[in-house]
Amino acid sequence: MKHTPRIEQYGLIGDMQTSAHVCDDGSIDWLCLPRFDSEAVFAALVGEREHGSWRLAPAAAFEGGQATAARHYVGDSAILRSTWTTPTGTARVTDFMPPRDGAPRVIRILEGVSGEVPMRSLWRPRMGYGRISPWIHTVDGRIAAEAGSDALWLDTTVEQEVEDGTVMSTFMVAAGQSLAFVLSWAPSHGAPPRIPSPEAALAATYSFWEGWADQCAYAGPYREAVVRSLVTLKAMIYEPSGGIVAAPTTSLPEEIGGARNWDYRATWLRDAATTLAALLGAGYREEAVAWRRWLLRAVAGDPENLQILYGIGGQRDLPERVLGWLPGYEGSAPVRVGNGAATQLQLDVFGEVIETMYLAHQAGVAQCADTAVLHQRLVRQLAACWQEPDEGIWEVRGPRRHFVHSKVMAWVAVDRTIRLAEEGVLDVDLFELMELREAIHREVCEKGFDPVRGTFTQSYGSTELDAALLLIPRVGFLPPDDPRVTGTIDAIQRELTSPDGLVWRYATAGDRAGVDGLVGDEGAFVLCTFWMVDALALAGRLEEAQELFEHVLSLRSDLGLLAEEYHPKSGRQLGNYPQAFSHMGLVESALLLDQLLAERGSEACALPPDAVPVQQRPAALALSSRI
């Protein structure tokens, strides 16, 4: 069965331990149980519907008849509501996953709004990423689907039929009528999960999300977009450990039909650190405390062998393999699980982790003794290896290089350590670190800058550009009005930017292997475009920055979600979805614009417009993505 919705046609629901992707045609096409990194029981997102899906929609929608859906999130929650309009009436489907108090669950509540609507449900579980058809049978009137160690339970008052591994029902919903479907997971060897009250679960889920969103300290003009991004980021935190997935999907392509397909269901130190920086900036502290505990468990025992990513529970072994039976999203193969980048050297990670520790301290999260020891060991390790070439922020699979961004973030790690020591919260040799900070800064300015073109380059001695260079003013390495910074901004706008302002990470080489060691191209990188917003704003080009920011907002899905990339020519989102980096970048840019516009307004009261100074902003966010 052909299945080709666009990536942005999906909405996300989740319980902060896993999540589901719900298409606008009423089909759940991606669900891993019981965790983000578990095997999918619905894998149609990277295959076809027969690889696992659950569609609940008017019968007319299955048959190509007149049935249209309008959807939205309920308030500031992760509860998705779709209202279907048909010639015979209107029905509403509310999809959500309640915060876990036992078994993980997906609940779908169907309500008749007007008239009568013939409805249909097709529940097609396929364990093992779509490879295994489970044993479907009834137990005390409940439908169970079992395979190996997993069991799925489907509870509903609607009569069901089983045919060829699919549980089906066709029924009528009338105005004022309410029906519910509850999918629960449990170990196959354990007791069946209890049947919850759908209405009570909905009320509790709404109360949780609204209460959490109300804590947002941002009250600027982009609050709706910021809160939706924050809720999305919160939904990607694995609550039991505090680890944060980079995205809840695997192998959504960066190029349709290409091989740039990666598994993001793990915790990259960089992604987690920068996501937490965004949450801290918006007033959230508990997540930072939980992540610090995760960091200590994952890293503290062996910081000298720091990995760039770990499993959501802190596990180190993340072998990469290919799921050959899945054709991939729109034929974009291979479909991968695990990620081989776990063994790479990426020096920038030291900067992102230490930057987050610094920001947490500034936000009032007290430094603990164990964190201080970890911090000291990380700085010692960095001092020993910062002059080595690495794979860099984009996790190149080509030769190691001396990436300028990596060195800048090494400088950030030392600089923030010095700041904490000067504030009396960290015991280190200040003189030695100040010398190291100066040495790194001097080397980057001497070896990473092209004086002929007036721009920093991707790596020492190269001619390539890299959007990560836009972070130089954001992290305080140089003032935003320094000619070397403004020259870099101008060069990236000339060479790595689409006509409508969207920014690519770096130049790819099409059919040839590029600097990243891969063939193929990709879309513009959403986070890099937010970096351009920040760089322009800091350089005093506020109107230009605001216009670009609002353009990116217009590219979000109808539910306010962003993937990793956007393809300007085809006008569609690409890459894993939703992407923590993209939503983190949105939050950070909104906060920065709000701050700078407020400062401009206050300064304008005392100075003529052409006298408003451009000031360097201290540290904010380091960050980025992988291939």
Side-chain angles (χ1 to χ4, degrees):
M1 184 186 298
K2 195 64 177 174
H3 175 57
T4 56
R6 290 189 171 203
I7 289 170
E8 58 266 30
Q9 288 178 242
Y10 287 93
L12 182 80
I13 58 175
D15 65 359
M16 293 159 293
Q17 296 192 43
T18 191
S19 60
H21 279 56
V22 187
C23 189
D24 59 5
D25 68 359
S27 184
I28 297 177
D29 290 338
W30 182 252
L31 174 63
C32 299
L33 289 171
R35 301 176 8 152
F36 290 110
D37 56 358
S38 299
E39 296 184 345
V41 300
F42 299 146
L45 182 64
V46 286
E48 304 294 346
R49 288 263 157 88
E50 56 261 33
H51 292 112
S53 60
W54 179 15
R55 191 175 183 190
L56 175 62
F62 286 82
E63 300 157 1
Q66 298 182 39
T68 58
R71 60 184 183 161
H72 65 278
Y73 282 111
V74 180
D76 292 330
S77 76
I79 300 168
L80 182 60
R81 181 162 288 163
S82 303
T83 301
W84 287 93
T85 301
T86 74
T88 62
T90 303
R92 184 164 58 217
V93 178
T94 301
D95 293 317
F96 64 101
M97 297 182 72
R100 208 170 292 186
D101 62 353
R105 294 186 174 88
V106 175
I107 299 179
R108 316 189 78 174
I109 297 177
L110 172 63
E111 300 170 275
V113 178
S114 65
E116 292 185 334
V117 181
M119 298 292 297
R120 185 173 298 168
S121 170
L122 290 183
W123 190 68
R124 187 183 291 112
R126 295 292 184 270
M127 276 64 157
Y129 294 108
R131 182 173 56 173
I132 303 169
S133 294
W135 170 41
I136 300 177
H137 58 113
T138 59
V139 179
D140 297 329
R142 305 174 69 184
I143 294 175
E146 298 183 70
S149 60
D150 299 304
L152 301 177
W153 296 80
L154 181 64
D155 294 295
T156 180
T157 58
V158 178
E159 185 175 347
Q160 306 289 307
E161 296 180 359
V162 181
E163 181 179 329
D164 295 330
T166 300
V167 179
M168 304 176 291
S169 58
T170 300
F171 56 98
M172 192 77 69
V173 62
Q177 188 178 7
S178 178
L179 304 167
F181 294 77
V182 179
L183 164 63
S184 306
W185 176 92
S188 59
H189 57 272
R194 66 176 179 83
I195 304 174
S197 164
E199 292 76 15
L202 177 61
T205 303
Y206 180 77
S207 177
F208 167 81
W209 284 111
E210 285 291 308
W212 188 84
D214 282 346
Q215 300 173 46
C216 177
Y218 172 75
Y222 305 111
R223 182 176 171 82
E224 176 275 328
V226 167
V227 171
R228 177 50 49 201
S229 289
L230 290 169
V231 167
T232 304
L233 292 171
K234 175 68 171 175
M236 289 191 274
I237 297 176
Y238 182 62
E239 189 176 45
S241 71
I244 303 171
V245 294
T249 55
T250 181
S251 300
L252 290 180
E254 296 167 12
E255 179 184 34
I256 299 298
R260 293 171 177 261
N261 318 316
W262 315 101
D263 190 353
Y264 280 11
R265 298 169 304 147
T267 299
W268 272 257
L269 294 185
R270 177 190 303 113
D271 299 53
T274 54
T275 295
L276 286 167
L279 288 165
L280 284 166
Y284 293 92
R285 295 171 54 193
E286 290 184 7
E287 289 75 13
V289 173
W291 176 77
R292 189 171 68 184
R293 288 197 297 268
W294 175 91
L295 181 70
L296 288 168
R297 290 192 299 269
V299 176
D302 191 20
E304 286 73 26
N305 293 298
L306 184 72
Q307 291 188 184
I308 63 162
L309 70 145
Y310 298 82
I312 56 176
Q315 63 268 36
R316 288 175 170 264
D317 189 14
L318 301 169
E320 185 174 297
R321 62 190 177 98
V322 171
L323 307 183
W325 60 90
L326 288 172
Y329 176 85
E330 290 194 17
S332 303
V335 174
R336 296 179 173 93
V337 295
N339 200 300
T343 60
Q344 290 188 348
L345 173 63
Q346 296 175 23
L347 293 172
D348 65 289
V349 168
F350 290 91
E352 280 113 15
V353 170
I354 290 175
E355 167 81 327
T356 303
M357 292 177 177
Y358 172 74
L359 292 175
H361 167 72
Q362 292 227 310
V365 178
Q367 180 85 288
C368 71
D370 291 332
T371 306
V373 171
L374 173 60
H375 190 151
Q376 291 162 342
R377 293 178 69 182
L378 288 174
V379 171
R380 285 197 298 271
Q381 179 65 17
L382 176 63
C385 70
W386 75 270
Q387 291 178 300
E388 296 179 19
D390 71 339
E391 277 87 3
I393 187 172
W394 306 123
E395 300 180 358
V396 302
R397 300 198 175 196
R400 287 182 175 181
R401 296 188 176 193
H402 290 282
F403 287 101
V404 171
H405 172 264
S406 296
K407 309 301 186 184
V408 168
M409 293 311 300
W411 177 92
V412 168
V414 179
D415 178 75
R416 303 312 186 256
T417 303
I418 291 170
R419 295 188 191 193
L420 288 172
E422 290 175 336
E423 293 182 28
V425 297
L426 199 62
D427 183 17
V428 293
D429 185 332
L430 269 176
F431 179 76
E432 180 180 325
L433 286 180
M434 286 178 176
E435 284 195 326
L436 176 58
R437 180 175 64 179
E438 174 59 28
I440 298 172
H441 197 281
R442 182 171 55 253
E443 180 178 292
V444 170
C445 293
E446 290 175 355
K447 297 183 178 181
F449 183 74
D450 181 348
V452 176
R453 295 163 65 205
T455 179
F456 283 96
T457 58
Q458 185 177 56
S459 59
Y460 292 174
S462 71
T463 59
E464 295 96 347
L465 295 177
D466 190 321
L469 301 169
L470 293 168
L471 292 170
I472 286 173
R474 190 71 159 102
V475 300
F477 185 83
L478 285 173
D481 58 348
D482 187 294
R484 292 167 292 183
V485 171
T486 57
T488 301
I489 294 172
D490 293 341
I492 290 173
Q493 284 190 315
R494 286 193 308 269
E495 300 181 31
L496 289 182
T497 302
S498 70
D500 60 346
L502 303 181
V503 180
W504 278 269
R505 294 188 289 179
Y506 48 81
T508 51
D511 294 336
R512 295 180 296 104
V515 65
D516 56 18
L518 299 169
V519 298
D521 296 310
E522 62 182 20
F525 211 77
V526 174
L527 177 60
C528 293
T529 306
F530 284 127
W531 290 346
M532 179 62 79
V533 170
D534 297 347
L536 292 170
L538 288 168
R541 297 158 64 176
L542 272 173
E543 290 75 14
E544 189 179 349
Q546 195 167 12
E547 181 180 354
L548 179 57
F549 179 76
E550 292 176 359
H551 176 57
V552 182
L553 293 190
S554 74
L555 304 179
R556 296 177 301 155
S557 75
D558 60 320
L559 295 173
L561 301 181
L562 286 164
E564 184 176 33
E565 299 179 1
Y566 186 87
H567 195 269
K569 289 185 178 179
S570 62
R572 61 185 302 182
Q573 297 197 35
L574 296 174
N576 283 306
Y577 172 90
Q579 173 70 221
F581 263 158
S582 299
H583 287 281
M584 175 278 298
L586 187 157
V587 173
E588 283 295 321
S589 291
L591 294 174
L592 181 64
L593 286 171
D594 194 53
Q595 172 193 344
L596 296 181
L597 288 168
E599 290 179 7
R600 169 175 285 190
S602 63
E603 290 170 346
C605 295
L607 295 170
D610 59 354
V612 177
V614 176
Q615 298 177 347
Q616 177 180 348
R617 288 337 184 267
L621 292 204
L623 23 37
S624 185
S625 162
R626 64 219 58 74
I627 283 179

